[in-house]
Amino acid sequence: MPLHEHPAATDAARELIAARGGRVTRTRVAVIQALQRSAHPLSHDELGAALDGAGIAHDRVTLYRALDWLVEQGIAQRIAGGERAWRFEIRRDGDHRHAHFHCERCGQIVCLEDVSAAAPTLPAGFAVARAELVLHGACADCGREGVERKER
Amino acid sequence: MPLHEHPAATDAARELIAARGGRVTRTRVAVIQALQRSAHPLSHDELGAALDGAGIAHDRVTLYRALDWLVEQGIAQRIAGGERAWRFEIRRDGDHRHAHFHCERCGQIVCLEDVSAAAPTLPAGFAVARAELVLHGACADCGREGVERKER
DNA sequence: AGTCTAATGCTACAATGTTGCATCAAAAGC
DNA sequence: GCTTTTGATGCAACATTGTAGCATTAGACT
């Protein structure tokens, strides 16, 4: 059992899962909590590290499948980031259509809560399910003068 | 030598390359032409097929490197599409910051020429180099009633 | 034609996901 | 509480997408 687990947060995660008729498993609970605690979207790798940190055994495939399920259920959402790997974040109430900033120096993805992708006019017949706006550049930390470029 | 090659288009591509001080090679010329001819951004795979069709021998690595060079030189640009693989398109005059539409049924990427990603207000210190706006949904063909869902 | 070196084409590898299948354990029934 | 059922897991093997190192080829220049 993970040390110092917060009961209230755990219960919220468990309910979120049970409400969808899914089985409440260590992996799913831990993934939801990790996503909820994080200020920015997490990659599969970062989530794996979080599970390790929580003392929860898992394997790559299990994590992929847990994430697939969460996305399918609308609990989490997948975003495309700047690199090849997907990143995941919890879907907050409402549509939560915020934009993301990808720092090309440190690789970090930051949520831009108050920036939303405007739905533009489209050719006839096109139906938009969701819009993804990603800004690429240098974040506040990396953009400062004198800051060493981090290897990445 | 490719059959029925259009001399004018070939010359334009050759000049584009030479102007950057690069060597004019079969691969680069063919890649530029394929990108110019295509109405939508092409994946690495699609480009490979195009080269095969033009009777131009190549290998995966060469194609990746040719594309890297074209992007580096500002001749082409990379976009993130809906799937894992990059897609490439020719950079037209000016900044060419148009948006893209990703059809979740047929996987196709369509350029939305007159939709541009609005540069939003950012936290202090953030510098935006480029913005990527991708709309996900169903394209005109796939959205029509009675159209069979294509496997993908 | 000969020289120089950027591009190419291997081979091998790395990163990110996916599939199939036997096993385990969460939820439900007894 | 014990058993059953089946969703979730863990493992092995594979698929896709992209990179690195290095010997060889072929543009460009003389």
Side-chain angles (χ1 to χ4, degrees):
Chain A
M1 192 206 292
L3 278 33
H4 311 305
E5 191 176 87
H6 191 201
T10 303
D11 287 352
R14 299 176 76 89
E15 272 175 41
L16 211 51
I17 298 168
R20 264 80 172 187
R23 287 193 181 166
V24 177
T25 64
R26 293 165 299 161
T27 314
R28 286 179 182 169
V29 172
V31 167
I32 291 177
Q33 289 191 269
L35 290 177
Q36 281 174 334
R37 269 198 288 263
S38 171
H40 61 269
L42 295 174
S43 66
H44 174 273
D45 241 30
E46 290 169 325
L47 279 165
L51 292 208
D52 286 342
I56 293 176
H58 66 283
D59 106 318
R60 278 158 30 78
V61 181
T62 302
L63 183 44
Y64 277 117
R65 289 199 271 230
L67 286 166
D68 283 349
W69 186 84
L70 292 175
V71 169
E72 214 170 89
Q73 300 299 319
I75 297 175
Q77 64 187 347
R78 211 189 299 265
I79 62 176
E83 280 91 31
R84 285 177 256 61
W86 295 114
R87 282 165 181 273
F88 299 85
E89 67 185 354
I90 284 292
R91 244 177 85 161
R92 321 252 172 217
D93 327 297
D95 248 341
H96 186 53
R97 280 295 96 92
H98 65 256
H100 293 101
F101 183 92
H102 169 230
C103 177
E104 290 174 334
R105 279 220 213 164
C106 65
Q108 187 80 243
I109 302 268
V110 181
C111 296
L112 303 172
E113 294 296 344
D114 36 76
V115 177
S116 64
T121 47
L122 286 179
F126 281 69
V128 177
R130 67 200 166 88
E132 220 177 339
L133 175 59
V134 183
L135 306 175
H136 301 263
C139 72
D141 281 349
C142 294
R144 278 205 310 270
E145 298 290 333
V147 173
E148 281 307 301
R149 170 173 279 111
K150 295 162 193 156
E151 292 315 321
R152 211 255 154 267
Chain B
M1 194 206 291
L3 279 34
H4 310 303
E5 191 177 87
H6 191 203
T10 303
D11 287 353
R14 301 176 75 87
E15 272 174 41
L16 212 49
I17 298 168
R20 263 83 173 186
R23 287 191 181 169
V24 178
T25 64
R26 295 165 299 164
T27 313
R28 286 178 182 170
V29 171
V31 167
I32 290 176
Q33 288 191 271
L35 290 177
Q36 280 175 334
R37 269 199 289 264
S38 170
H40 61 270
L42 295 174
S43 65
H44 174 273
D45 242 29
E46 290 168 326
L47 279 164
L51 292 206
D52 287 342
I56 292 175
H58 66 282
D59 105 317
R60 279 159 29 79
V61 182
T62 302
L63 183 45
Y64 277 116
R65 288 199 272 230
L67 286 166
D68 282 349
W69 187 84
L70 292 174
V71 170
E72 214 172 88
Q73 300 300 317
I75 296 174
Q77 64 187 349
R78 212 188 298 264
I79 63 176
E83 280 89 31
R84 285 178 256 59
W86 296 114
R87 282 167 182 270
F88 298 86
E89 67 186 351
I90 285 292
R91 242 178 87 160
R92 321 252 172 216
D93 329 296
D95 248 344
H96 186 55
R97 283 291 99 94
H98 64 256
H100 293 101
F101 183 91
H102 170 230
C103 179
E104 290 175 334
R105 279 222 213 162
C106 64
Q108 187 79 244
I109 302 268
V110 182
C111 297
L112 303 173
E113 294 296 345
D114 37 76
V115 177
S116 65
T121 47
L122 286 180
F126 281 69
V128 176
R130 69 200 165 87
E132 221 177 339
L133 176 59
V134 183
L135 307 175
H136 301 263
C139 72
D141 282 349
C142 293
R144 278 203 312 267
E145 297 290 334
V147 172
E148 281 307 302
R149 171 173 279 113
K150 294 163 192 154
E151 292 315 319
R152 212 258 154 267

